[in-house]
């Protein structure tokens, strides 16, 4: 299985880059993982709704360039479906059984994803109704993908 994490912005904090590297290494036994970073836009304080839409549109165009026609695209969105770890594992397993060989998970920038990206997505996934920093979300997502593979392989890790 090929899994891409398409995300807005670069990670600068060492503790986050270390965690991302660790989960990327762990996942290498189970899938081919690529992390694709696109540039983020500077978001001014107290930006209007129109400015927010423009920023999301620019970031969305950058994301769209990396979305592949044959891939199953999962957008991380606060209004998406919330799954347990077991349900995410089953979703990944089911996609593989149905012949999907490429999954792309999309993490938006600090103000979320453009509507065009959300419409392109085959599935919308929410980790919580709470808001998380998009940099931290990358670590959380990688950990949950790793957990899903461990669950599907019936290997110890998941508790």
């Amino acid at each position: 299985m090929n899994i891409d994490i398409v995300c807005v912005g670069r990670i600068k904090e060492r503790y986050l880059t270390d965690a991302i590297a660790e989960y990327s290494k762990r996942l290498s036994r189970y899938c081919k993982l690529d992390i694709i970073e696109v540039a983020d836009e500077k978001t001014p304080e107290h930006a209007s709704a129109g400015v927010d839409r423009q920023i999301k549109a620019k970031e969305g165009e950058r994301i769209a360039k990396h979305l592949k026609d044959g891939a199953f695209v999962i957008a991380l969105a606060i209004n998406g479906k919330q799954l347990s770890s077991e349900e995410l594992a089953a979703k990944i397993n089911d996609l593989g059984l149905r012949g999907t060989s490429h999954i792309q998970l999309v993490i938006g920038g600090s103000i979320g994803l453009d509507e065009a990206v959300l419409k392109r997505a085959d599935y919308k996934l929410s980790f919580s109704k709470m808001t998380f920093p998009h940099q931290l979300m990358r670590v959380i997502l990688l950990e949950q993908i790793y957990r899903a593979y461990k669950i599907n392989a019936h290997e110890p890790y998941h508790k």
Side-chain angles (χ1 to χ4, degrees):
M1 176 79 66
N2 292 318
I3 295 186
D4 296 341
I5 310 294
V6 182
C7 41
V8 175
R10 294 205 169 276
I11 304 290
K12 297 171 189 82
E13 295 83 0
R14 170 116 188 185
Y15 68 97
L16 293 173
T17 58
D18 288 348
I20 290 164
E22 177 62 28
Y23 284 111
S24 297
K25 184 177 98 179
R26 290 182 187 191
L27 278 165
S28 67
R29 302 183 46 202
Y30 302 100
C31 64
K32 182 183 179 302
L33 176 71
D34 283 312
I35 297 175
I36 301 163
E37 295 177 331
V38 302
D40 58 344
E41 290 290 312
K42 300 292 179 229
T43 306
E45 289 284 326
H46 311 294
S48 68
V51 170
D52 279 354
R53 277 193 303 277
Q54 289 174 342
I55 290 169
K56 286 196 274 189
K58 285 179 184 176
E59 291 174 348
E61 288 171 9
R62 293 178 189 136
I63 290 167
K65 289 178 185 174
H66 296 282
L67 300 180
K68 306 295 184 209
D69 286 339
F72 189 88
V73 176
I74 300 174
L76 273 63
I78 203 161
N79 62 350
K81 182 159 175 51
Q82 291 185 18
L83 301 176
S84 68
S85 296
E86 295 85 359
E87 289 169 330
L88 179 61
K91 180 80 177 164
I92 291 171
N93 191 54
D94 185 56
L95 286 168
L97 291 174
R98 292 174 184 262
T100 298
S101 61
H102 194 180
I103 299 172
Q104 293 186 297
L105 296 110
V106 182
I107 303 172
S110 61
I111 57 174
L113 285 168
D114 184 49
E115 195 59 36
V117 174
L118 292 170
K119 284 181 182 167
R120 164 59 182 93
D122 299 298
Y123 193 84
K124 292 174 195 71
L125 177 64
S126 173
F127 275 76
S128 172
K129 292 193 183 303
M130 293 184 273
T131 302
F132 296 101
H134 60 282
Q135 300 93 336
L136 180 60
M137 196 63 234
R138 198 179 308 183
V139 176
I140 295 168
L141 176 60
L142 287 169
E143 191 281 334
Q144 284 298 302
I145 294 169
Y146 175 68
R147 184 178 296 271
Y149 274 103
K150 295 294 270 187
I151 290 168
N152 288 337
H154 306 289
E155 296 174 355
Y157 174 75
H158 177 65
K159 304 199 176 18

